Amino acid sequence: MIIVPGLVEIERSSASEAEKRIARILKKIAGPEDSVAFHSVRLRSHARKQQAEADFVILWKGLVVVVEVKGGGVGKHHGSWWSVDRRGEWHRLKESPMSQAQSAMFALRDILQQDGVGWFAHEAIVITPDTDVPPRSIEWKSTHWLAKDHTTTASLTEALDALLADARVEPNRAKRAPMKKLMERLFGEFTRMPVIDAQRGAVLEEQNKATEEQARILASLARNKRMLVFGGAGTGKSLVLAEAAKVEADAGRSVLITFHSPGLVNLFDPLVAGRQIDVVPFDRLTTERAYDAVLVDEAQDLMTAEAMDLLDKVIAGGRSGGRWRLFLDPNNQAHVDGGFDRDVYDLVADEAPAFDLNRNVRNTKAIVSAVQGYLGADVGDPGIVHGEKIQWHWTEAADVDGATDVARTLVGNGIARKEIWIISVTARAPFDTTEDGYAVRTPKQVKGFEVEHVIVCDLPDEFNDASIAAFYVSLTRARVSLHVVATSADKRRLQNLAQQRGGFR
C-alpha cells in the first residue's frame, strides 16, 4: 500500500508510537496498486471545530476509511471516555474515539461532495493496538473497532475487506465518484509538497498543498508504468519527481533519479534523504545495474539517440517494458545545456501518456507575465500572485559590475547576500563570486535551481535559439524579486523580441 507521506517521514515526525506501528503494517499490505493511506490529515471544515484531524485516511478498493488510532488503554468509566498512557496516567477525552473518527469522516465527505466528486462509500473505524478487547456498543459495529488481534498485515487486510463487504451502497440516482477522480482529489487534499532551498541543499519546514496538476500526476503513478510530464520553469516538476520517486521506493522498487546537470544532485539529495534511491548524473551512469523505476529530470536535455539507448539499458525491461517517468520543459532549455533531437522526442512521446503541469509555483505574477510577454514561453498560470514588479535598471554598465551595484542596494535594504544571485546571460565560463562575496552564475549553472532574488545582466547582442533559451532560464529562477540590468540598445532588442515571439504587441 502507498503511504503518504512515506514511512520515513512518519517515523521521523509522528509523536505517536501507535500511529507509527499502524503505518508500518499498512505499508506491508499487498493490496491493489491504487490503494493508499494518508497519515495525519487535517480537514478544512468540521461541524464543531474549524479543523478536524484524522490519523489515517485509507482508500481501499473504492472505499474511503477514516481511521482514529489510540495507543495505550482506552475505556469508558462513569459516563466519560478515558485513555491511559504508557506511564499509567489517566487522561479524560472530550469525546469517544469513535465520535472523533465519525466526525472527521463526515467532514471529509462534505469536503469532497462540495467539490463535486460524487458519492463514494465511506466508513469510520477506531484502532486501539494496545487493548486486548475492543469496547462494545450499539453505536458501532464490531467490525469498526479493531484491537491488538488486528495488528498484523493479514488481519488488518481482512478487516479492510470486511468493511468493504458491508459498506453502504449509493442511494438511488446518486452519481458514484470515479475511482480516478477520487484518487486525484484525495492526493490534492492531503499531499504536501516541500519548499526547497536549493542553494543550501535543504528542505524548508514550510510545505505547500499540492496543485491540482501535481495531485493528478501523483495519483496516476499506480496506473501508469510510463509517463511523460510536461511543465515550464517553476511548475514544480522536480518536486513532483522527488515525491514520485519516494512512492516507488516505498513500494519496494529499486529507484534511480538521473539528469543532465550534475548540480541537481544538491537539489534531489535532501528531497529523498533516508530512502534507498540512487541520485546519479546521467554522464556517470553505467550499464552495470538496471532499476525497477527510473525518473529523469529535465529530460529535454537528453533527447538524443545515444542518451535514449543508455536509458534503455538502465531500465529493467527497457523503455518498452520497464517503469519510467520523464519530466520535460516544453520550452526547450536544451539550447542552454544538452541536446534535443526532434525525431528522438517524437519516438519517445509515443511510448507513454502525457501529463501537464500548468500552475507556476515559483515565480510571481509579474515574472510569469514578463516571460510570456517577451519570449512567448509557457511557464504556467501564476500560482504566486503577489510579489514585486520586475525592476528594470537602464544603464550603460549592464554587466556584472552593474549588477553588483544593484546587489549592494538589496543588501543595504536588509536582504542577505546568500539569497541573491547575479546571472550573466551570455557568460560561458562558470562563475563563483565577486570580490565582495556576491554569487555570480551562468544560465547553465542555475538550470533547475531557484533563489529568492535574481539580478540578470549581460544580455545578448542577438537573440537566437541559444541566447533566448539562456535568457529564459535566467528570468525564471527568482522566487521573490527579479532585477534586469540592461542598456538602451538592450531595450530596443527586447522590444523587437516581444513583437516577434511574445505577447507584448
Side-chain angles (χ1 to χ4, degrees), residues 56 72 76 90 98 114 168 213 226 239 269 281 299 332 345 348 369 377 409-410 423 455 489 493:
F56 291 94
K76 189 176 184 179
W90 289 65
M98 185 60 74
Q114 287 169 11
R168 65 198 76 191
E213 292 85 8
R226 294 171 288 280
L239 295 180
D269 272 349
N332 190 11
Y345 166 77
V348 174
S369 297
T409 301
L410 294 179
I423 303 179
I455 307 165
R493 284 189 286 267

Side-chain angles (χ1 to χ4, degrees), residues 13-66:
S13 62
S14 177
S16 169
E17 291 299 324
E19 291 176 24
K20 294 178 185 177
R21 217 179 321 160
I22 298 303
R24 295 183 203 117
I25 297 169
L26 289 170
K27 184 179 183 299
K28 294 178 181 178
I29 290 179
E33 282 197 337
D34 55 6
S35 58
V36 58
F38 300 90
H39 173 254
S40 190
V41 299
R42 290 176 173 81
L43 303 167
R44 52 183 162 82
S45 62
H46 189 270
R48 297 183 300 278
K49 297 176 284 186
Q50 188 174 9
Q51 266 195 347
E53 182 171 335
D55 293 327
F56 291 94
V57 172
I58 300 172
L59 181 58
W60 179 256
K61 302 177 182 178
L63 174 67
V64 176
V65 183
V66 176

Side-chain angles (χ1 to χ4, degrees), residues 22 26 53-58 60 63-70 96-106 122-128 140-147 150 155-164 168:
I22 298 303
L26 289 170
E53 182 171 335
D55 293 327
F56 291 94
V57 172
I58 300 172
W60 179 256
L63 174 67
V64 176
V65 183
V66 176
V67 183
E68 176 69 22
V69 178
K70 279 283 186 288
S96 75
M98 185 60 74
S99 294
Q100 285 182 268
Q102 290 174 341
S103 60
M105 178 192 70
F106 292 135
H122 50 279
E123 301 291 339
I125 68 171
V126 174
I127 303 178
T128 49
W140 59 80
K141 299 176 183 179
S142 59
T143 53
H144 288 55
W145 195 308
L146 311 179
H150 282 99
S155 59
L156 189 51
T157 302
E158 290 175 3
L160 290 172
D161 282 335
L163 289 171
L164 180 65
R168 65 198 76 191

Side-chain angles (χ1 to χ4, degrees), residues 119-323:
W119 185 91
F120 57 93
H122 50 279
E123 301 291 339
I125 68 171
V126 174
I127 303 178
T128 49
D130 298 317
T131 61
D132 294 317
V133 180
R136 302 298 181 188
S137 172
I138 60 173
E139 297 178 19
W140 59 80
K141 299 176 183 179
S142 59
T143 53
H144 288 55
W145 195 308
L146 311 179
K148 186 181 293 184
D149 59 352
H150 282 99
T151 54
T152 66
T153 302
S155 59
L156 189 51
T157 302
E158 290 175 3
L160 290 172
D161 282 335
L163 289 171
L164 180 65
D166 196 35
R168 65 198 76 191
V169 297
E170 66 263 37
N172 290 334
R173 299 182 180 179
K175 184 178 180 181
R176 178 179 283 269
M179 185 67 173
K180 178 182 176 182
K181 190 174 183 179
L182 191 57
M183 279 271 288
E184 290 175 1
R185 285 300 297 114
L186 289 173
F187 268 93
E189 191 68 33
F190 303 136
T191 303
R192 295 296 179 266
M193 303 298 291
V195 176
I196 57 173
D197 184 338
Q199 187 180 14
R200 291 188 289 271
V203 179
L204 304 183
E205 291 299 322
E206 306 86 41
Q207 294 198 337
N208 290 333
K209 186 176 176 180
T211 67
E212 182 179 344
E213 292 85 8
Q214 290 172 337
R216 185 177 69 251
I217 291 166
L218 293 172
S220 299
L221 293 173
R223 300 194 302 270
N224 297 281
K225 290 182 66 175
R226 294 171 288 280
M227 298 171 64
L228 292 170
V229 181
F230 294 90
T235 53
K237 295 188 302 297
S238 299
L239 295 180
V240 175
L241 186 153
E243 293 301 307
K246 289 190 282 188
V247 170
E248 300 289 356
D250 287 346
R253 300 184 181 98
S254 58
V255 181
L256 167 70
I257 295 176
T258 189
F259 33 78
H260 182 75
S261 302
L264 289 177
V265 169
N266 297 326
L267 172 71
F268 285 111
D269 272 349
L271 288 174
V272 298
R275 297 297 207 300
Q276 293 298 313
I277 297 174
D278 286 349
V279 179
V280 184
F282 197 81
D283 63 1
R284 298 180 190 173
L285 289 181
T286 69
T287 57
E288 296 177 358
R289 181 181 183 186
Y291 293 83
D292 298 329
V294 175
L295 301 95
V296 183
D297 197 23
E298 304 290 1
Q300 75 279 349
D301 296 341
L302 299 168
M303 282 297 158
T304 64
E306 295 77 14
M308 288 300 108
D309 286 345
L310 176 56
L311 192 64
D312 195 59
K313 294 173 183 176
V314 298
I315 301 171
R319 286 204 330 271
S320 61
R323 193 174 185 90

